Amino acid sequence: MTTAAAVTTTTPIDRALTPIPFGRLVRTELRKLTDTRAGRWLMLTLVAATPIVALVMVFTMSTKDLNYAKFVDYTSTPEKLLLPILGILTMTSEWSQRTGLVTFVLEPKRGRVLLAKGVATVGLGVGVSVLMLLVSVVGNILGQTVRDGNGSWNFAGQVSGEVTLVLLSWLLLGLALGMALLITAAAILVSFVVPNMFSAFFGSGSKNTTAWFDLNQAQSPLYSHDITGKGWIQLLAASALWIGIPMLLGVMRVRRTEVK
């Protein structure tokens, strides 16, 4: 007695109903970040600016300031300025270039698309941060070799982690504002102007008070590398206000807004 093997076939309808693998969504979002002219120039600027800053430091700064912590602090400046723009472009380009309709037709679950955008952008942000740290290592060695600089590696791990946290928080702020506003120019203006204006108006108050709701003030101990337990709580509170709330509002808006 023979038993016929069951034959399974996949119909076009079955293939259409099969969700797109998440890894493919992430790779697609990575391509979107580099396929556009704005995305390519932004990434090139991020990659090129860091070694330029390090070289300028080697030949212009006082030898006593040529140490790893200083290199990390200074070479992270371009990333702090440009990473929010990367996050903003990730979220707003679909709406400004009217490609969102295609994206959400291919993947109707907008939450998965937003998550893929976030993973792709944070992945690039981590890569840029690693590049910045490597350039800082080379810069410190070069400064010690060429100009007999200080060359200190004190608190290298702490410095690397804290500055990377600052950079990724500003990247997340860009993602949040991009989702909340969906207009590139408006989101960039808000990301640069509003936090700094807020700090200018309220920064004259007591640090123990303003650090609870001023992101710049809450992050300042990360730059001086002397953050305490209370400082971490203040940083969490300020991040929830400036990043968490806009991100929550942005997710709600993207999931409900009609794509035209």
Side-chain angles (χ1 to χ4, degrees):
M1 182 176 179
T2 61
T3 303
V7 178
T8 59
T9 59
T10 303
T11 66
I13 295 178
D14 292 331
R15 288 195 294 270
L17 295 176
T18 302
I20 299 174
F22 186 73
R24 189 184 302 171
L25 287 176
V26 173
R27 292 194 298 271
T28 301
E29 295 303 328
L30 283 171
R31 284 199 302 271
K32 290 179 184 177
L33 286 172
T34 54
D35 281 350
T36 63
R37 184 179 302 173
R40 282 195 297 269
W41 276 107
L42 183 60
M43 292 305 301
L44 285 173
T45 303
L46 277 168
V47 172
T50 304
I52 291 174
V53 172
L55 282 174
V56 171
M57 289 180 64
V58 168
F59 293 104
T60 62
M61 289 194 70
S62 171
T63 54
K64 67 178 182 180
D65 291 328
L66 292 177
N67 56 66
Y68 180 72
K70 284 290 184 182
F71 274 101
V72 172
D73 288 343
Y74 278 77
T75 57
S76 64
T77 301
E79 279 80 3
K80 184 180 177 181
L81 293 174
L82 296 177
L83 281 177
I85 300 178
L86 178 66
I88 289 169
L89 289 177
T90 301
M91 293 300 174
T92 60
S93 59
E94 295 276 21
W95 305 84
S96 61
Q97 299 173 15
R98 293 185 174 90
T99 58
L101 182 60
V102 176
T103 298
F104 294 137
V105 166
L106 294 175
E107 177 48 78
K109 295 182 179 179
R110 298 189 182 185
R112 295 187 77 225
V113 175
L114 292 178
L115 184 59
K117 287 179 180 292
V119 170
T121 311
V122 170
L124 278 178
V126 170
V128 170
S129 299
V130 170
L131 173 64
M132 178 267 298
L133 297 176
L134 292 175
V135 169
S136 297
V137 170
V138 174
N140 195 29
I141 295 173
L142 190 61
Q144 190 176 19
T145 303
V146 174
R147 296 191 57 208
D148 195 25
N150 180 287
S152 171
W153 300 94
N154 291 340
F155 307 106
Q158 179 183 353
V159 169
S160 302
E162 289 174 350
V163 173
T164 299
L165 178 61
V166 171
L167 297 179
L168 293 181
S169 67
W170 284 96
L171 173 63
L172 291 175
L173 176 63
L175 287 170
L177 291 176
M179 283 190 290
L181 298 176
L182 298 180
I183 301 174
T184 303
I188 291 175
L189 181 65
V190 170
S191 69
F192 281 109
V193 174
V194 175
N196 293 320
M197 287 184 62
F198 193 89
S199 297
F201 281 117
F202 297 99
S204 58
S206 171
K207 290 184 178 180
N208 290 329
T209 302
T210 57
W212 290 100
F213 51 86
D214 184 344
L215 187 59
N216 285 313
Q217 192 74 257
Q219 288 179 344
S220 61
L222 294 176
Y223 283 106
S224 56
H225 316 298
D226 59 355
I227 190 168
T228 62
K230 181 180 179 181
W232 285 111
I233 298 175
Q234 290 175 328
L235 179 62
L236 183 62
S239 298
L241 176 64
W242 287 94
I243 301 173
I245 294 177
M247 188 167 290
L248 177 62
L249 295 175
V251 170
M252 294 173 59
R253 183 178 185 190
V254 171
R255 294 184 65 147
R256 298 178 181 180
T257 301
E258 179 183 357
V259 183
K260 299 179 181 180

XYZ file of all heavy atoms in Angstrom, residues 42-119:
603
model
N 24.699 63.891 3.076
C 24.710 63.917 4.534
C 25.657 62.859 5.082
O 26.455 63.135 6.004
C 23.290 63.692 5.063
C 23.114 63.764 6.584
C 23.535 65.132 7.115
C 21.669 63.468 6.963
N 25.605 61.654 4.527
C 26.491 60.598 4.997
C 27.948 60.919 4.683
O 28.841 60.690 5.512
C 26.101 59.267 4.356
C 24.754 58.723 4.807
S 24.618 58.546 6.605
C 25.970 57.417 6.930
N 28.207 61.468 3.499
C 29.580 61.845 3.148
C 30.106 62.931 4.084
O 31.274 62.895 4.507
C 29.636 62.333 1.694
C 29.540 61.266 0.609
C 29.427 61.917 -0.770
C 30.761 60.343 0.650
N 29.245 63.884 4.417
C 29.653 64.951 5.330
C 29.959 64.393 6.715
O 30.954 64.780 7.351
C 28.552 66.016 5.430
O 28.258 66.521 4.126
C 28.983 67.164 6.333
N 29.122 63.473 7.187
C 29.353 62.859 8.489
C 30.682 62.120 8.526
O 31.452 62.219 9.481
C 28.214 61.891 8.817
C 26.938 62.481 9.408
C 25.821 61.449 9.410
C 27.195 62.976 10.824
N 30.965 61.374 7.461
C 32.196 60.583 7.415
C 33.421 61.472 7.270
O 34.470 61.219 7.870
C 32.121 59.548 6.265
C 33.452 58.858 6.062
C 31.024 58.527 6.548
N 33.314 62.547 6.461
C 34.481 63.384 6.175
C 34.772 64.383 7.281
O 35.936 64.714 7.533
C 34.266 64.125 4.855
N 33.743 64.886 7.952
C 33.946 65.962 8.930
C 34.751 65.499 10.134
O 35.570 66.260 10.677
C 32.595 66.513 9.383
N 34.547 64.263 10.568
C 35.199 63.782 11.786
C 36.723 63.778 11.681
O 37.407 64.336 12.546
C 34.673 62.390 12.158
O 33.249 62.459 12.294
C 35.280 61.904 13.454
N 37.331 63.163 10.649
C 38.797 63.218 10.560
C 39.346 64.620 10.331
O 40.449 64.930 10.771
C 39.117 62.296 9.373
C 37.856 62.142 8.621
C 36.760 62.286 9.614
N 38.567 65.479 9.671
C 39.022 66.864 9.475
C 39.142 67.575 10.820
O 40.134 68.252 11.092
C 38.055 67.609 8.529
C 38.160 67.058 7.114
C 38.357 69.107 8.535
C 37.141 67.626 6.146
N 38.127 67.404 11.673
C 38.179 68.009 13.002
C 39.374 67.476 13.790
O 40.094 68.235 14.461
C 36.865 67.740 13.765
C 36.974 68.200 15.214
C 35.697 68.446 13.082
N 39.617 66.172 13.710
C 40.738 65.582 14.442
C 42.071 66.138 13.957
O 42.962 66.439 14.768
C 40.706 64.061 14.292
N 42.237 66.294 12.638
C 43.491 66.837 12.102
C 43.705 68.286 12.536
O 44.821 68.682 12.885
C 43.489 66.737 10.574
C 43.780 65.363 9.979
C 43.606 65.378 8.467
C 45.202 64.912 10.349
N 42.639 69.065 12.506
C 42.747 70.451 12.962
C 43.165 70.493 14.428
O 44.014 71.307 14.830
C 41.402 71.184 12.752
C 41.436 72.557 13.415
C 41.106 71.333 11.263
N 42.618 69.612 15.241
C 42.986 69.563 16.655
C 44.465 69.232 16.829
O 45.157 69.834 17.661
C 42.130 68.524 17.378
C 40.686 68.898 17.576
S 39.788 67.582 18.444
C 40.641 67.583 20.028
N 44.954 68.252 16.071
C 46.347 67.816 16.220
C 47.306 68.980 16.027
O 48.303 69.115 16.753
C 46.655 66.672 15.228
C 48.160 66.410 15.152
C 45.918 65.405 15.641
N 47.023 69.846 15.059
C 47.987 70.880 14.690
C 47.682 72.263 15.278
O 48.470 73.180 15.096
C 48.072 70.983 13.166
C 48.669 69.757 12.532
C 47.862 68.842 11.883
C 50.029 69.510 12.620
C 48.405 67.694 11.303
C 50.586 68.377 12.043
C 49.768 67.465 11.393
N 46.558 72.417 15.971
C 46.219 73.747 16.492
C 46.034 73.798 17.999
O 46.228 74.856 18.598
C 44.936 74.283 15.827
O 43.837 73.410 16.128
C 45.106 74.397 14.320
N 45.662 72.705 18.638
C 45.356 72.736 20.068
C 46.628 72.678 20.902
O 47.677 72.190 20.455
C 44.424 71.579 20.450
C 43.017 71.745 19.921
S 41.844 70.617 20.712
C 41.753 71.299 22.361
N 46.512 73.172 22.118
C 47.614 73.074 23.066
C 47.945 71.608 23.329
O 47.034 70.760 23.382
C 47.233 73.773 24.370
O 48.185 73.535 25.371
N 49.216 71.305 23.498
C 49.635 69.904 23.676
C 49.006 69.281 24.925
O 48.752 68.071 24.954
C 51.163 69.811 23.762
O 51.641 70.692 24.792
C 51.806 70.198 22.442
N 48.736 70.081 25.942
C 48.150 69.526 27.166
C 46.703 69.078 26.951
O 46.178 68.260 27.714
C 48.208 70.552 28.304
C 47.325 71.770 28.079
C 47.396 72.727 29.264
C 46.471 73.932 29.054
N 46.523 74.876 30.201
N 46.057 69.614 25.907
C 44.678 69.241 25.601
C 44.578 68.114 24.584
O 43.467 67.715 24.225
C 43.913 70.458 25.074
C 43.679 71.504 26.151
O 43.525 71.104 27.314
O 43.658 72.705 25.826
N 45.698 67.626 24.110
C 45.674 66.535 23.135
C 45.575 65.207 23.880
O 46.555 64.488 24.079
C 46.924 66.586 22.249
C 47.014 67.776 21.290
C 48.325 67.761 20.522
C 45.838 67.781 20.314
N 44.354 64.875 24.278
C 44.101 63.598 24.941
C 42.816 63.000 24.370
O 42.056 63.664 23.664
C 44.004 63.776 26.458
C 42.948 64.783 26.858
O 41.758 64.565 26.664
N 43.384 65.919 27.410
N 42.564 61.739 24.713
C 41.447 61.025 24.103
C 40.107 61.694 24.404
O 39.251 61.824 23.521
C 41.438 59.584 24.594
C 40.311 58.759 24.027
C 40.323 58.358 22.695
C 39.222 58.400 24.818
C 39.282 57.602 22.171
C 38.183 57.648 24.305
C 38.212 57.258 22.978
O 37.176 56.523 22.457
N 39.902 62.123 25.647
C 38.621 62.727 26.012
C 38.340 63.979 25.187
O 37.209 64.199 24.733
C 38.614 63.059 27.507
N 39.350 64.820 24.991
C 39.172 66.032 24.193
C 38.865 65.690 22.739
O 38.019 66.330 22.104
C 40.429 66.904 24.269
C 40.602 67.661 25.561
C 39.566 68.779 25.693
C 39.816 69.594 26.947
N 38.800 70.660 27.118
N 39.569 64.695 22.195
C 39.305 64.307 20.812
C 37.870 63.822 20.648
O 37.185 64.167 19.675
C 40.290 63.219 20.363
C 41.585 63.751 19.831
C 42.719 63.755 20.611
C 41.668 64.271 18.536
C 43.921 64.254 20.126
C 42.857 64.773 18.045
C 43.995 64.767 18.841
N 37.387 63.026 21.592
C 36.005 62.541 21.509
C 35.021 63.702 21.605
O 34.056 63.785 20.831
C 35.738 61.506 22.614
C 34.254 61.149 22.661
C 36.550 60.249 22.383
N 35.254 64.622 22.540
C 34.338 65.752 22.712
C 34.258 66.614 21.457
O 33.168 67.022 21.038
C 34.782 66.607 23.899
C 34.529 65.922 25.237
O 33.742 64.956 25.247
O 35.119 66.346 26.244
N 35.406 66.891 20.842
C 35.422 67.787 19.692
C 34.967 67.084 18.410
O 34.231 67.675 17.609
C 36.827 68.367 19.504
C 37.125 69.552 20.388
C 37.432 69.372 21.734
C 37.087 70.848 19.904
C 37.698 70.448 22.568
C 37.347 71.938 20.733
C 37.648 71.728 22.052
O 37.912 72.798 22.877
N 35.420 65.858 18.181
C 35.044 65.176 16.934
C 33.587 64.746 16.932
O 33.030 64.434 15.873
C 35.929 63.936 16.691
O 35.842 63.044 17.818
C 37.374 64.330 16.467
N 32.933 64.737 18.097
C 31.510 64.389 18.140
C 30.617 65.568 17.752
O 29.414 65.380 17.538
C 31.125 63.907 19.546
O 31.285 64.943 20.497
N 31.194 66.769 17.646
C 30.379 67.955 17.331
C 29.657 67.841 15.987
O 28.446 68.123 15.902
C 31.247 69.222 17.364
O 31.833 69.360 18.661
C 30.416 70.456 17.059
N 30.342 67.441 14.888
C 29.598 67.304 13.624
C 28.468 66.289 13.714
O 27.391 66.502 13.138
C 30.678 66.848 12.628
C 31.970 67.283 13.230
C 31.776 67.176 14.705
N 28.709 65.177 14.438
C 27.658 64.172 14.575
C 26.456 64.714 15.340
O 25.311 64.438 14.986
C 28.213 62.934 15.288
C 28.989 61.995 14.403
C 30.409 62.482 14.164
O 30.783 63.525 14.740
O 31.135 61.825 13.403
N 26.716 65.500 16.385
C 25.600 66.050 17.164
C 24.753 66.992 16.309
O 23.531 67.065 16.482
C 26.126 66.787 18.396
C 25.010 67.296 19.294
C 25.518 68.024 20.517
C 24.359 68.575 21.349
N 24.808 69.309 22.546
N 25.393 67.695 15.367
C 24.663 68.615 14.508
C 23.931 67.893 13.380
O 22.827 68.290 12.986
C 25.635 69.641 13.913
C 26.282 70.623 14.897
C 27.328 71.462 14.183
C 25.235 71.508 15.556
N 24.538 66.824 12.845
C 24.023 66.211 11.613
C 23.170 64.972 11.851
O 22.297 64.664 11.037
C 25.190 65.861 10.678
C 25.999 67.056 10.160
C 27.170 66.586 9.314
C 25.122 68.000 9.361
N 23.404 64.247 12.939
C 22.615 63.036 13.166
C 21.121 63.317 13.334
O 20.297 62.528 12.855
C 23.156 62.273 14.374
C 24.414 61.430 14.117
C 24.898 60.767 15.401
C 24.162 60.372 13.046
N 20.710 64.411 13.993
C 19.266 64.698 14.021
C 18.674 64.877 12.627
O 17.529 64.475 12.375
C 19.186 65.996 14.830
C 20.398 66.008 15.674
C 21.463 65.356 14.848
N 19.449 65.479 11.716
C 18.957 65.654 10.353
C 18.779 64.299 9.680
O 17.819 64.079 8.927
C 19.924 66.544 9.542
C 20.040 67.916 10.196
C 19.457 66.685 8.101
C 21.010 68.850 9.505
N 19.708 63.375 9.938
C 19.565 62.023 9.394
C 18.267 61.389 9.877
O 17.524 60.784 9.091
C 20.765 61.172 9.816
C 20.756 59.712 9.367
C 20.856 59.619 7.845
C 21.889 58.932 10.019
N 17.975 61.517 11.168
C 16.725 60.969 11.690
C 15.503 61.635 11.091
O 14.506 60.966 10.778
N 15.569 62.939 10.907
C 14.442 63.671 10.322
C 14.192 63.220 8.886
O 13.048 62.936 8.495
C 14.705 65.185 10.382
C 14.609 65.672 11.834
C 13.724 65.962 9.498
C 15.118 67.082 12.044
N 15.249 63.144 8.080
C 15.096 62.731 6.683
C 14.544 61.324 6.565
O 13.782 61.014 5.639
C 16.442 62.826 5.960
C 16.974 64.231 5.681
C 18.350 64.155 5.033
C 16.014 65.000 4.782
N 14.923 60.464 7.500
C 14.406 59.098 7.480
C 12.884 59.084 7.524
O 12.233 58.289 6.831
C 14.956 58.314 8.682
O 16.380 58.307 8.635
C 14.462 56.879 8.666
N 12.309 59.956 8.334
C 10.867 59.946 8.535
C 10.105 60.846 7.568
O 8.966 60.545 7.216
C 10.553 60.359 9.982
C 11.023 59.358 11.014
S 10.240 57.741 10.754
C 11.103 56.745 11.984
N 10.707 61.941 7.148
C 9.951 62.902 6.327
C 10.072 62.661 4.833
O 9.228 63.134 4.071
C 10.421 64.338 6.634
O 11.822 64.454 6.339
C 10.180 64.686 8.086
N 11.110 61.941 4.390
C 11.324 61.789 2.949
C 10.178 61.048 2.281
O 9.838 61.319 1.129
C 12.653 61.066 2.682
O 12.663 59.790 3.296
N 9.569 60.101 2.997
C 8.440 59.359 2.419
C 7.282 60.291 2.088
O 6.537 60.053 1.131
C 7.957 58.294 3.410
C 8.957 57.204 3.711
C 8.938 56.097 2.678
O 8.464 56.333 1.558
O 9.418 54.996 3.004
N 7.132 61.360 2.858
C 6.000 62.258 2.686
C 6.339 63.393 1.725
O 5.504 63.789 0.906
C 5.567 62.808 4.032
C 5.265 61.715 5.004
C 6.161 61.040 5.794
C 3.994 61.113 5.248
N 5.520 60.073 6.522
C 4.189 60.096 6.215
C 2.701 61.351 4.773
C 3.141 59.309 6.705
C 1.658 60.576 5.257
C 1.885 59.572 6.202
N 7.561 63.887 1.780
C 7.945 64.980 0.881
C 8.123 64.495 -0.553
O 7.866 65.225 -1.503
C 9.236 65.643 1.378
O 10.306 64.710 1.398
N 8.582 63.251 -0.738
C 8.784 62.704 -2.078
C 7.615 61.848 -2.552
O 7.666 61.251 -3.616
C 10.069 61.877 -2.102
C 11.311 62.681 -1.766
C 12.541 61.811 -1.640
O 12.553 60.660 -2.055
N 13.599 62.365 -1.060
N 6.599 61.747 -1.725
C 5.368 61.012 -2.050
C 5.627 59.532 -2.378
O 5.001 58.961 -3.270
C 4.637 61.693 -3.222
C 4.087 63.068 -2.871
C 3.269 63.630 -4.018
N 2.623 64.879 -3.639
C 3.165 66.067 -3.786
N 4.383 66.170 -4.300
N 2.514 67.152 -3.419
N 6.579 58.924 -1.677
C 6.816 57.482 -1.857
C 6.136 56.675 -0.762
O 6.168 55.451 -0.790
C 8.322 57.184 -1.842
O 8.875 57.639 -0.593
C 9.027 57.883 -2.988
N 5.532 57.368 0.194
C 4.900 56.673 1.301
C 3.769 55.770 0.863
O 3.541 54.713 1.461
N 3.048 56.164 -0.185
C 1.927 55.348 -0.659
C 2.421 53.970 -1.095
O 1.832 52.948 -0.741
C 1.223 56.059 -1.815
C -0.007 55.347 -2.381
C -1.060 55.167 -1.304
C -0.577 56.125 -3.563
N 3.515 53.944 -1.851
C 4.079 52.662 -2.294
C 4.550 51.851 -1.096
O 4.298 50.644 -0.993
C 5.249 52.899 -3.278
C 5.891 51.579 -3.671
C 4.769 53.646 -4.509
N 5.237 52.503 -0.174
C 5.764 51.808 1.005
C 4.657 51.159 1.809
O 4.744 49.976 2.189
C 6.542 52.794 1.904
O 7.650 53.316 1.181
C 7.044 52.096 3.161
N 3.588 51.896 2.058
C 2.530 51.379 2.917
C 1.590 50.427 2.172
O 0.824 49.706 2.820
C 1.744 52.534 3.532
C 2.563 53.370 4.482
C 2.492 54.755 4.463
C 3.420 52.767 5.388
C 3.246 55.519 5.335
C 4.184 53.527 6.256
C 4.099 54.897 6.237
N 1.619 50.437 0.850
C 0.885 49.413 0.104
C 1.631 48.083 0.178
O 1.044 47.022 0.394
C 0.673 49.847 -1.362
C 0.225 48.665 -2.217
C -0.357 50.961 -1.442
N 2.957 48.141 0.025
C 3.759 46.923 0.094
C 3.800 46.359 1.515
O 3.865 45.147 1.694
C 5.177 47.205 -0.401
C 5.306 47.572 -1.885
C 6.741 47.947 -2.221
C 4.842 46.411 -2.756
N 3.796 47.237 2.498
C 3.758 46.804 3.911
C 2.696 47.622 4.632
O 2.966 48.713 5.125
C 5.129 46.992 4.562
C 5.171 46.635 6.040
C 4.524 45.287 6.344
O 5.170 44.256 6.099
O 3.369 45.283 6.820
N 1.453 47.104 4.683
C 0.346 47.882 5.269
C 0.515 48.153 6.760
O -0.081 49.102 7.274
C -0.879 46.991 5.011
C -0.460 46.050 3.922
C 1.000 45.838 4.123
N 1.279 47.334 7.457
C 1.464 47.543 8.896
C 2.495 48.651 9.092
O 3.704 48.419 9.050
C 1.904 46.250 9.562
C 0.854 45.145 9.507
C 1.334 43.897 10.220
C 0.267 42.802 10.176
N 0.724 41.559 10.844
N 2.019 49.840 9.315
C 2.913 50.999 9.399
C 3.856 50.919 10.600
O 4.952 51.477 10.559
C 2.091 52.290 9.448
C 1.250 52.513 8.205
C 0.627 53.897 8.216
N -0.223 54.096 7.052
C -0.814 55.243 6.743
N -0.640 56.310 7.531
N -1.574 55.355 5.668
N 3.435 50.242 11.640
C 4.303 50.090 12.798
C 5.591 49.352 12.442
O 6.675 49.701 12.932
N 5.484 48.337 11.581
C 6.681 47.597 11.164
C 7.598 48.486 10.328
O 8.826 48.417 10.431
C 6.295 46.354 10.358
C 5.529 45.315 11.131
C 5.340 44.049 10.315
N 6.563 43.256 10.294
C 7.079 42.698 9.201
N 6.495 42.897 8.021
N 8.169 41.962 9.265
N 7.005 49.318 9.485
C 7.806 50.231 8.667
C 8.549 51.224 9.557
O 9.748 51.470 9.375
C 6.912 50.979 7.652
C 7.723 52.024 6.896
C 6.273 49.995 6.676
N 7.841 51.795 10.532
C 8.479 52.755 11.441
C 9.601 52.095 12.234
O 10.667 52.687 12.438
C 7.444 53.352 12.390
C 6.399 54.275 11.760
C 5.407 54.745 12.819
C 7.059 55.470 11.096
N 9.363 50.867 12.686
C 10.398 50.158 13.432
C 11.610 49.883 12.554
O 12.759 50.035 13.000
C 9.833 48.850 13.992
C 10.777 48.031 14.876
C 11.228 48.852 16.083
C 10.100 46.735 15.324
N 11.377 49.504 11.310
C 12.491 49.259 10.386
C 13.284 50.531 10.128
O 14.524 50.520 10.071
C 11.962 48.691 9.068
N 12.573 51.650 9.977
C 13.263 52.933 9.795
C 14.122 53.252 11.017
O 15.256 53.713 10.897
C 12.233 54.054 9.570
C 11.553 54.025 8.202
C 10.550 55.171 8.107
C 9.847 55.168 6.756
N 10.765 55.496 5.655
N 13.555 53.020 12.206
C 14.294 53.296 13.423
C 15.530 52.424 13.558
O 16.616 52.914 13.901
N 15.394 51.137 13.290
C 16.536 50.214 13.388
C 17.620 50.593 12.388
O 18.818 50.627 12.720
C 16.072 48.763 13.171
C 17.267 47.823 13.021
C 15.187 48.310 14.323
